[in-house]
Amino acid sequence: MATLEALWRLTGAGWALVRADALIPRELEPLLPPGAKLAGRVLRLFAGSAARKGRPGERLAAVLERQGPAAIKMGQFLSTRADIFGAAFAEDLSRLKDRLPAFPLNVAKAEIARNLGKPLDEIFAEIGEAVAAASLAQAHPATLIDGRKVAVKVLRPSIERQVARDSAVLRLAARLAEALAPASRRLRPTEFVEVVIRALDLEMDLRFEAAGCAELGEAMAKDPYMRAPAVCWEGVGKRVLTLTWAEGAPLSDPAALDLPGLDRKALAENVTRGFLAQALDHGLFHADLHEGNLFVAAPSTITAVDYGIVGRLGPGERRYLAEILYGFLNRDYARVAKIHFDAGYVPAHQDMDAFAQALRAVGEPVFGRNAREVSMGRLLAQLFEITALFDMALRPELVLLQKTMVTVEGVARRIDPTHDLWAAADPVVRRWIGRELSPAAKARDFAEEALRAIMALARLADAPPAARVIVERPHTWPLIWFLVGAATAGAAFVTGLLLAR
């Protein structure tokens, strides 16, 4: 029954796109190959009155808004890529970020009081009308009884049921894609959909968002690039979140970039460097950095809000990311290729030299050119061709990272059309490489490994495993190996100290 409902809703979404001429818009016909042109003309035979209203981006936004949170999230992602889809298209979709219809204030107040389990006047002196309404929740300005200005986020009524229905549709769409389009299987659509659904499920509990905001706020405080609001824990519940007020204007406001004294170049660099510093240095990052979640103030201050999706990277993924970026920064394509093979991202039977040559074909056109001259759409198309040619599979653990990197670049380009992602990334990547891959760092890692070995040997000496055969002659091997391990660790520790000077 649930599958039939999902199929019905998926069919309905496709039909809505066709009726609005938002699937293969007529405006794109001059750019399409003959097969796509013919498909578009056939589909337009079924178009309705909505197909004649507005630009393609406006028609698509209207359809996505009616389809629920998952579709709105996709629209938010598309709206950051003005360099691919054009400024008008991106602007038309940008209203999906935080300008959806709000539910009434009295409903929000009742939900806040019920969720926090106490009367509102015990926490808040005042709560105002919603100032932002997004796909899952809306935000209200408020004042605590101690006088602090805060923002109160409350989930939309019955949003959990809506997300569950959307999740069923996404799962069905992924299964159909794998069954009907074999070429899509290497992208692992089912696993990708599960990552998206897991992220949406986590967004349904605002206590997780509060914890993510607090944790990322501590990380951001160590660099000057980006900041987070403080969590007001007395105003936090499963469906309610209270944060200190974010000063400045949201980047989704077209007037934000015209604020007096705003340094757009520095602002764009801070967006890129802030994300990379989070991912590389701390292993966690804000994974929803679209314009609606970024507030800016002169000269280049950025405050990020909405911590519903926090990405995490293990030590291996962090090293992989840094080495890849470092290789491209130095145009060392052989090194980049080797890292892909060592990490298992390219099957071992493929030709490493040929893969390095393919990477060079993608990377070289980017260097030495103004960012406005680089076609990101063409670059992405080339990368897609290469991944298909070398049988690369999408790694689910890197999905959020890849998505966020694309989003961050799109946001930075909208702030400063001349933004150079590689130049902005350079100091953060080199700092990580210098700290983590230096001789002193390697000596430190060796010393840590030796210390772990000593501890294991000590545990073995204190409580050796029961022997199956009783040996009368006493053994001294555990003590000998303990002494050898101690000597090794001591030598590594001294070496590390000398190299670190």
Side-chain angles (χ1 to χ4, degrees):
M1 189 67 181
T3 301
L4 289 177
E5 180 186 358
L7 179 61
W8 178 256
R9 294 188 69 229
L10 182 61
T11 303
W15 180 246
L17 290 169
V18 170
R19 294 286 290 172
D21 189 22
L23 197 58
I24 307 179
R26 61 184 180 277
E27 290 87 348
L28 298 182
E29 186 169 301
L31 306 175
L32 299 176
K37 284 183 181 180
L38 178 60
R41 290 172 183 175
V42 171
L43 291 176
R44 280 192 290 278
L45 294 175
F46 303 94
S49 59
R52 297 185 292 273
K53 298 178 182 178
R55 297 182 295 271
E58 292 175 320
R59 301 197 299 269
L60 179 59
V63 174
L64 294 179
E65 186 174 325
R66 293 192 296 269
Q67 298 306 311
I72 289 174
K73 286 292 183 185
M74 183 177 66
Q76 292 172 348
F77 170 72
L78 294 176
S79 72
T80 67
R81 300 320 311 253
D83 52 339
I84 297 177
F85 303 109
F89 184 86
E91 182 61 31
D92 291 338
L93 285 181
S94 66
R95 74 187 185 93
L96 290 169
K97 293 185 176 68
D98 59 4
R99 296 196 290 273
L100 298 181
F103 55 90
L105 176 60
N106 63 321
V107 174
K109 285 184 174 181
E111 181 60 31
I112 294 170
R114 184 187 68 79
N115 203 248
L116 296 181
K118 58 182 67 176
L120 292 181
D121 57 13
E122 291 187 14
I123 303 174
F124 302 100
E126 181 183 10
I127 299 179
E129 294 285 349
V131 293
S135 56
L136 300 178
Q138 66 187 37
H140 296 258
T143 304
L144 297 179
I145 56 176
D146 62 9
R148 285 180 292 166
K149 186 176 182 181
V150 297
V152 183
K153 179 177 180 179
V154 57
L155 292 181
R156 288 182 172 274
S158 304
I159 192 62
E160 291 86 354
R161 289 197 295 272
Q162 176 69 44
V163 168
R165 290 195 294 266
D166 285 355
S167 298
V169 173
L170 286 176
R171 288 190 173 104
L172 177 60
R175 292 199 301 270
L176 289 175
E178 290 186 347
L180 302 177
S184 70
R185 293 172 189 167
R186 69 185 184 84
L187 300 177
R188 301 180 182 178
T190 300
E191 294 181 32
F192 172 77
V193 161
E194 291 303 323
V195 171
V196 174
I197 291 172
R198 175 61 176 164
L200 282 171
D201 288 343
L202 289 176
E203 287 192 78
M204 293 296 97
D205 191 333
L206 296 182
R207 293 171 297 187
F208 289 126
E209 181 173 344
C213 179
E215 187 178 8
L216 260 174
E218 293 176 2
M220 290 179 186
K222 298 176 182 178
D223 281 305
Y225 308 123
M226 199 177 291
R227 63 178 61 171
V231 178
C232 303
W233 290 101
E234 66 272 29
V236 173
K238 184 174 183 179
R239 307 188 87 251
V240 178
L241 171 65
T242 305
L243 303 176
T244 55
W245 189 259
E247 298 297 334
L251 271 176
S252 55
D253 182 353
L257 294 178
D258 295 324
L259 291 173
L262 200 69
D263 186 339
R264 294 178 65 158
K265 177 177 173 57
L267 198 65
E269 290 178 346
N270 282 347
V271 171
T272 298
R273 290 172 182 169
F275 160 68
L276 285 174
Q278 294 166 32
L280 287 177
D281 293 337
H282 307 287
L284 72 160
F285 56 92
H286 191 305
D288 199 15
L289 288 172
H290 63 74
E291 287 97 325
N293 288 338
L294 296 174
F295 285 69
V296 298
S300 56
T301 300
I302 302 174
T303 302
V305 300
D306 194 352
Y307 292 81
I309 307 177
V310 174
R312 295 183 183 275
L313 297 176
E317 287 79 20
R318 290 160 67 182
R319 178 166 183 158
Y320 168 76
L321 172 62
E323 292 250 35
I324 289 292
L325 294 175
Y326 188 72
F328 268 110
L329 285 168
N330 290 280
R331 302 164 78 173
D332 189 348
Y333 303 108
R335 177 175 180 168
V336 175
K338 185 177 186 304
I339 294 164
H340 273 83
F341 276 79
D342 290 345
Y345 294 163
V346 179
H349 67 270
Q350 295 291 341
D351 188 328
M352 188 182 300
D353 292 334
F355 185 66
Q357 182 180 353
L359 290 172
R360 182 181 295 275
V362 174
E364 283 300 306
V366 175
F367 292 98
R369 298 177 61 184
N370 189 292
R372 288 173 294 185
E373 299 174 1
V374 176
S375 170
M376 185 58 64
R378 182 175 299 175
L379 183 64
L380 292 177
Q382 287 179 307
L383 286 171
F384 186 84
E385 291 171 6
I386 288 174
T387 59
L389 183 63
F390 289 89
D391 196 26
M392 286 178 62
L394 185 67
R395 302 288 297 213
E397 69 271 21
L398 295 177
V399 166
L400 278 179
L401 176 72
Q402 293 168 341
K403 175 258 186 188
T404 309
M405 287 185 71
V406 173
T407 302
V408 164
E409 186 188 4
V411 170
R413 287 278 182 86
R414 291 192 69 186
I415 295 172
D416 177 14
T418 66
H419 178 68
D420 185 339
L421 175 71
W422 300 104
D426 188 89
V428 178
V429 174
R430 291 186 188 278
R431 179 180 69 181
W432 191 93
I433 292 290
R435 185 181 68 244
E436 300 295 331
L437 300 183
S438 65
K442 292 180 179 179
R444 178 199 64 205
D445 293 342
F446 179 73
E448 291 176 353
E449 288 291 335
L451 181 59
R452 283 193 288 270
I454 290 173
M455 295 175 67
L457 288 170
R459 287 193 296 269
L460 183 62
D462 290 338
R468 293 185 178 180
V469 179
I470 299 175
V471 179
E472 295 181 0
R473 185 176 54 190
H475 284 280
T476 58
W477 288 110
L479 178 59
I480 293 174
W481 283 116
F482 178 84
L483 294 174
V484 170
T488 302
F493 181 72
V494 173
T495 302
L497 289 178
L498 293 174
L499 290 173
R501 289 181 176 177

